[in-house]
Amino acid sequence: MNRTFNASALARLDLKDFIPYDAPYYQDVIKLDANENPYGFPPEVLVKIYRAASSLDISRYPDPGAKILRERLADYTGVNPDNIMVGNGSDEIILNLMLAFGSGAKFAVAAPTFSMYGEHARIAGCAKIEVPRSSDFEIDASGLKSAASLPEVKMVIICSPNSPTGNATPLASIENILGDTSKIIVVDEAYNEFGGESCVPLLSRYPNLVILRTFSKAFGLAGLRVGYLLAGRPVINELLKVKQPYNLNVFSQTAASVVMENLPVFRERVARILEEREVLFAELAALPGVEAFSSQANFIMFKTPLPAEKIYRGLLTRGVLIRNVESISLPRCLRVTVGTAEENRAFIKQLGDVLKNCAA
Ligand SMILES: *Cc1c(COP(=O)(O)O)cnc(C)c1O
């Protein structure tokens, strides 16, 4: 045995106080914390995936270029396959953006927002500049433009619709920034199927625009980890330098392609989620002391008079898991995913109960 071995003494100094990302993993709870599709994957599409999978040769490495999936995505987005790159979830693409453009430099982000940008930036050795959103969570376009003008800033990230606040950024505001800078502007459209304007029409005019999308939300495929990026070829060429060649496995490539061939069932589910979102919003807003923020995504952020941790714990004790977002400078705020009608009613009932019992 080597007694002098000390892994942490060998590890990167800049990650000394970095806490690995962890997400609660509970069974037997009403799971409204991760903005997944609540209806379960459509069985008729699952059968098609299994049928397609049965002829796959899983003893061979996957197609590194994911040609078939990119062609299906081209049909879906109207973007040329050469301007599409797929990833092991859009999380992987965020990391690749940081590795290709951010290492040793900085990125700016309209905050508060999705925490993964900061996590992947840390891993890649890229520093973060937060440009605060206004009190109604609109982006500060001039603040983002001045951040972009700093030589050390290579990239600006705007999430629209934004997690966890739920609001979308108007196309005009994004175009205003795009035209003013030669830095990369990343628009994360993870929730685009639920609302907000897409930046896709701007792609052909702005070579510095990068759009992120995912199969994890509207398409109910979070477990298979599929995301994609839309961008000009020069940006993709840089990303290919850092991308793992076999990042997306054969099964996930196939499943995502089958999903793209069966859009109506997913569109119908999205429509149901949007109806439920309006009902849930009204119910939340009607609870005494609760402020609900209007959302263009499949979740709703809300504020209560109590510490968010108290609400979070109270709900978990009652079998409902949501997200406490207080730590990202949103005091007393939590985020709940729009679930099925039954899940939403159970959540509202338990939240009412927590508010009554913990207020004393
Ligand atoms: C869920 C989510 C993603 C998608 O992540 P995947 O890695 O594709 O599952 C990306 N951005 C935001 C803002 C999200 O909420």
Side-chain angles (χ1 to χ4, degrees), residues 26-41:
Y26 293 103
Q27 249 99 44
D28 306 323
V29 291
I30 296 179
K31 197 174 178 309
L32 301 174
D33 68 318
N35 305 337
E36 297 136 329
N37 197 308
Y39 297 109
F41 197 80

Side-chain angles (χ1 to χ4, degrees), residues 195-238:
E197 295 173 278
S198 171
C199 288
V200 166
L202 302 177
L203 265 177
S204 57
R205 275 186 286 140
Y206 296 97
N208 56 332
L209 172 62
V210 169
I211 298 172
L212 295 178
R213 297 276 188 88
T214 182
F215 280 76
S216 299
K217 310 288 158 61
F219 298 117
L221 221 56
L224 292 186
R225 315 299 305 120
V226 188
Y228 59 101
L229 159 148
L230 309 170
R233 198 62 210 176
V235 169
I236 290 180
N237 287 341
E238 296 304 320

Side-chain angles (χ1 to χ4, degrees), residues 89-91 94 114 117 159 163 188 190-191 214 216-217 225-227:
S90 46
D91 273 343
I94 294 165
F114 189 48
Y117 312 129
C159 185
S163 175
D188 187 343
Y191 298 100
T214 182
S216 299
K217 310 288 158 61
R225 315 299 305 120
V226 188

Side-chain angles (χ1 to χ4, degrees), residues 38-324:
Y39 297 109
F41 197 80
E44 68 275 28
V45 184
L46 195 59
V47 167
K48 291 182 191 175
I49 290 174
Y50 287 151
R51 203 178 299 139
S54 67
S55 61
L56 290 175
D57 189 352
I58 57 169
S59 51
R60 303 290 179 189
Y61 286 100
D63 172 10
K67 186 167 179 289
I68 294 170
L69 175 54
R70 279 167 49 235
E71 280 167 4
R72 295 292 91 80
L73 284 169
D75 296 337
Y76 175 61
T77 59
V79 172
N80 189 298
D82 288 340
N83 297 113
I84 302 175
M85 191 181 103
V86 300
N88 196 255
S90 46
D91 273 343
E92 186 201 31
I93 304 178
I94 294 165
L95 176 62
N96 286 337
L97 282 163
M98 294 294 172
L99 290 171
F101 299 103
S103 290
K106 293 183 182 172
F107 82 106
V109 63
T113 190
F114 189 48
S115 64
M116 280 298 171
Y117 312 129
E119 303 278 332
H120 290 301
R122 275 299 290 275
I123 295 167
C126 176
K128 175 171 73 174
I129 295 180
E130 291 196 341
V131 179
R133 290 167 176 263
S134 66
S135 58
D136 55 359
F137 310 120
E138 292 298 328
I139 62 164
D140 170 8
S142 61
L144 290 167
K145 283 197 274 190
S146 38
S149 72
L150 300 170
E152 68 273 26
V153 170
K154 311 294 176 185
M155 192 160 64
V156 173
I157 302 185
I158 299 161
C159 185
S160 176
N162 186 43
S163 175
T165 58
N167 62 304
T169 300
L171 209 58
S173 315
I174 289 174
E175 188 165 14
N176 171 295
I177 300 170
L178 278 168
D180 189 73
T181 177
S182 53
K183 306 297 176 61
I184 292 172
I185 307 297
V186 179
V187 182
D188 187 343
E189 295 189 348
Y191 298 100
N192 172 261
E193 281 82 5
F194 302 102
E197 295 173 278
S198 171
C199 288
V200 166
L202 302 177
L203 265 177
S204 57
R205 275 186 286 140
Y206 296 97
N208 56 332
L209 172 62
V210 169
I211 298 172
L212 295 178
R213 297 276 188 88
T214 182
F215 280 76
S216 299
K217 310 288 158 61
F219 298 117
L221 221 56
L224 292 186
R225 315 299 305 120
V226 188
Y228 59 101
L229 159 148
L230 309 170
R233 198 62 210 176
V235 169
I236 290 180
N237 287 341
E238 296 304 320
L239 289 167
L240 291 176
K241 295 178 185 173
V242 298
K243 179 181 97 68
Q244 295 279 321
Y246 302 118
N247 59 333
L248 195 55
N249 70 74
V250 282
F251 188 81
S252 294
Q253 288 191 26
T254 303
S257 302
V258 172
V259 164
M260 287 290 104
E261 290 157 5
N262 290 273
L263 290 174
V265 56
F266 296 96
R267 292 205 164 111
E268 187 256 321
R269 281 164 185 233
V270 166
R272 252 197 285 170
I273 289 169
L274 297 187
E275 281 170 28
E276 276 303 321
R277 177 177 77 193
E278 299 322 307
V279 178
L280 180 59
F281 182 86
E283 288 174 333
L284 265 173
L287 286 173
V290 172
E291 180 182 3
F293 299 92
S294 80
S295 169
Q296 309 238 57
N298 66 337
F299 55 81
I300 298 173
M301 187 171 84
F302 64 96
K303 192 172 190 167
T304 84
L306 298 177
E309 191 60 21
K310 221 167 182 177
I311 301 283
Y312 174 82
R313 288 283 149 210
L315 282 171
L316 194 54
T317 307
R318 290 163 175 80
V320 182
L321 178 65
I322 66 167
R323 188 67 67 97
N324 175 357

